[in-house]
Every structure is written in structure tokens, then in C-alpha cells.
Amino acid sequence: MNAKHVEQIQTIQAKQVVREKALLEEAKSRFCAEAVEREAHLISKVEERFMKLTKIREVKFMDMMDAHEKKYKALLNKCMAKGMSNK
């Protein structure tokens, strides 16, 4: 091979290295962007699920409080009725 061919091969190899680095950076950038997008989507889903669970717990708690209130009102009414009948 003559010097011109060697120089052309080296030039092509150098361009290929630059092209491969650019493709790698582009892939890395796309991967990072997709990861950020997926993370945001997952965070959104987790927050949504948390809010649903919080609402369910709130409803259950309020139902429990209503049941306790009814129970204690009935007990109070029973005690009041018993107290009134003793007089």
C-alpha cells in the first residue's frame, strides 16, 4: 500500500470514530430522556395511587367515627333513659 491509501484509511477510520461517538452520545441522550419521562410517569402513577388510598382510608376512618358516634349516642340515650326512669 502506498502512503496515500494509508492516509485515506486513517481518515476514514477517524471519521468513523467521530460518527460512532456522536451516535453513542445521541443514544445516551435519548436513553436519559426516556428514563426521565418514565420516571415522571411512574411518579405520577404512584401519587395517583397514594391519593386513592388516602381517600379510601379517609372514608373508612369517617365510617368508623360515625359508627362510634352512633354507638356512644345510643349508650348515652340508654343511660339518660335509665337515669330518668330512676327518678
Side-chain angles (χ1 to χ4, degrees), residues 47-63:
E47 287 174 345
E48 182 180 317
R49 180 75 176 140
F50 176 78
M51 293 307 292
K52 284 181 183 177
L53 289 173
T54 301
K55 188 66 177 172
I56 290 168
R57 284 186 176 169
E58 182 181 321
V59 168
K60 285 182 178 180
F61 177 77
M62 293 307 292
D63 288 345

Side-chain angles (χ1 to χ4, degrees), residues 35-72:
V36 167
E37 187 177 318
R38 285 182 182 177
E39 181 181 27
H41 178 74
L42 289 174
I43 288 171
S44 172
K45 288 292 185 183
V46 167
E47 287 174 345
E48 182 180 317
R49 180 75 176 140
F50 176 78
M51 293 307 292
K52 284 181 183 177
L53 289 173
T54 301
K55 188 66 177 172
I56 290 168
R57 284 186 176 169
E58 182 181 321
V59 168
K60 285 182 178 180
F61 177 77
M62 293 307 292
D63 288 345
M64 182 187 72
M65 293 303 291
D66 288 344
H68 283 295
E69 184 179 359
K70 286 178 185 175
K71 177 182 170 184
Y72 291 120

Side-chain angles (χ1 to χ4, degrees), residues 7-56:
E7 186 179 322
Q8 286 176 337
I9 289 172
Q10 289 174 341
T11 302
I12 291 170
Q13 287 174 337
K15 286 180 181 180
Q16 187 171 355
V17 167
V18 170
R19 206 173 13 239
E20 287 174 358
K21 283 183 180 179
L23 288 172
L24 182 61
E25 286 300 317
E26 181 184 338
K28 184 179 176 182
S29 177
R30 270 189 281 135
F31 176 78
C32 288
E34 286 178 21
V36 167
E37 187 177 318
R38 285 182 182 177
E39 181 181 27
H41 178 74
L42 289 174
I43 288 171
S44 172
K45 288 292 185 183
V46 167
E47 287 174 345
E48 182 180 317
R49 180 75 176 140
F50 176 78
M51 293 307 292
K52 284 181 183 177
L53 289 173
T54 301
K55 188 66 177 172
I56 290 168

